[in-house]
Amino acid sequence: MQSIPYELYWPSGNPTALTEVAGLTPVERAETAAKIMAADPDVEQVGFVDATKCRLDMMGGEFCLNATRSLAVFLLQRGLLREHEAGVFTGRVSVSGAADLLEVQVKAVGEEWIAAVTLPFENVPSIVALDPGVVLVDLPGIAHLVLDGNRFGPSFGKEAAHQFLQRFHLLDREAAGCINLTESGGLKKIAPYVHVAQTGTIVAETACGSGTLAAYFACCSGMLHFGSEERMLFRQPSGGFISVEPCCSSESRLRVCVGRDPACRTKYLGCRVFSEK
């Protein structure tokens, strides 16, 4: 019998399992993730951690912001982040799909955490209007179609997302998403659907960090008719929030911080074990 322990996190939604199973090939990671998700309906995605290297590999080799936020709490729980100032812990992590080391920052708030990730960009990501109300944002490790939800309606679902990804030839990417963006009373909301080629799955995620980042860049581009503020807060299907804002830096390249707003909470849902006979 094979037993795989994993820790379960809730980064504004998007329940993420992190396990320290070592020595797996990319195919074995995808297979193991599929088994865990099939056995535990609470799990939306699985990441594989090498804590000694502060390294995270996602189940399909994709980049995932919410899993990176979960990793930050995982490392803090093991004493692997340093205290930057009173109650605020920081570190650098390596994540699949990201060429650079990423800065993480964690602060405990009761039994929850504000876990933020700072991403450096050599240039503003490619942002292309493909159709009226359809914008492609090409991020490192994942591409997202951001849709004007006012045009396509609130009933937009998984099947329609798959059709859009197929129509614009994104199903062969390691990971690609379709983000239905709406705004009402100044509150931006996303409905994210993410396809991972290695696992062959498309998931209606309860929260999506990279999809939120793509929505932020789409709003900043002016290609969709939504308000654009310096810090944007996006409501997730879970009811949680993820924020995006530019970071002040002495470096010449763009730096963007995700999840720093106090409304953005990560929860720890405990340790579970997958057992296979």
Side-chain angles (χ1 to χ4, degrees):
M1 176 183 288
Q2 182 187 27
S3 294
I4 301 175
Y6 56 92
E7 314 284 341
L8 190 59
Y9 297 87
W10 189 92
S12 306
N14 197 202
T16 300
L18 298 182
T19 179
E20 292 186 90
V21 175
L24 299 182
T25 66
V27 171
E28 289 170 335
R29 283 198 294 265
E31 291 174 347
T32 301
K35 291 176 182 177
I36 291 174
M37 291 190 294
D40 187 342
D42 291 338
V43 176
E44 288 186 4
Q45 60 182 1
V46 181
F48 298 82
V49 179
D50 183 340
T52 62
K53 297 179 180 178
C54 296
R55 170 71 184 182
L56 170 67
D57 284 284
M58 289 304 295
M59 58 190 190
E62 75 275 17
F63 173 64
C64 178
L65 264 168
N66 276 339
T68 306
R69 293 171 64 211
S70 300
L71 173 67
V73 177
F74 181 97
L75 295 175
L76 176 63
Q77 290 171 321
R78 285 152 181 78
L80 295 174
L81 299 183
R82 58 182 176 81
E83 191 166 19
H84 176 69
E85 56 187 64
V88 179
F89 295 81
T90 62
R92 289 177 177 264
V93 300
S94 172
V95 182
S96 58
D100 295 287
L101 291 177
L102 306 179
E103 296 177 13
V104 295
Q105 176 181 299
V106 185
K107 178 181 180 180
V109 181
E111 296 184 353
E112 301 175 348
W113 291 267
I114 300 170
V117 181
T118 298
L119 298 95
F121 292 92
E122 291 294 341
N123 300 289
V124 174
S126 171
I127 307 169
V128 180
L130 300 178
D131 254 359
V134 182
V135 172
L136 174 64
V137 181
D138 215 336
L139 299 172
I142 189 166
H144 285 285
L145 293 175
V146 183
L147 310 183
D148 182 346
N150 297 324
R151 176 184 292 267
F152 297 104
S155 60
F156 186 92
K158 187 186 294 187
E159 184 177 342
H162 186 273
Q163 290 172 355
F164 268 94
L165 293 172
Q166 186 174 48
R167 176 184 171 191
F168 293 107
H169 310 291
L170 294 174
L171 292 176
D172 291 334
R173 296 283 192 105
E174 276 191 347
C178 195
I179 311 300
N180 200 36
L181 173 63
T182 58
E183 185 172 23
S184 177
L187 178 63
K188 295 180 176 64
K189 301 179 183 179
I190 68 165
Y193 302 85
V194 175
H195 177 265
V196 177
Q198 185 73 52
T199 58
T201 56
I202 183 166
V203 176
E205 295 193 333
T206 56
C208 183
S210 63
T212 300
L213 181 60
Y216 168 83
F217 279 121
C219 289
C220 290
S221 73
M223 295 179 188
L224 297 178
H225 300 296
F226 294 95
S228 175
E229 306 83 35
E230 185 172 33
R231 173 185 286 185
M232 297 188 209
L233 193 63
F234 295 83
R235 185 164 189 150
Q236 309 295 310
S238 64
F241 292 89
I242 299 178
S243 64
V244 186
E245 61 194 286
C247 293
C248 296
S249 172
S250 58
E251 299 180 21
S252 58
R253 55 184 181 171
L254 172 67
R255 286 159 48 90
V256 176
C257 185
V258 177
R260 191 162 60 182
D261 190 276
C264 307
R265 301 298 178 89
T266 297
K267 302 176 184 179
Y268 174 58
L269 302 181
C271 181
R272 302 182 182 185
V273 178
F274 165 74
S275 296
E276 181 182 45
K277 294 182 180 181

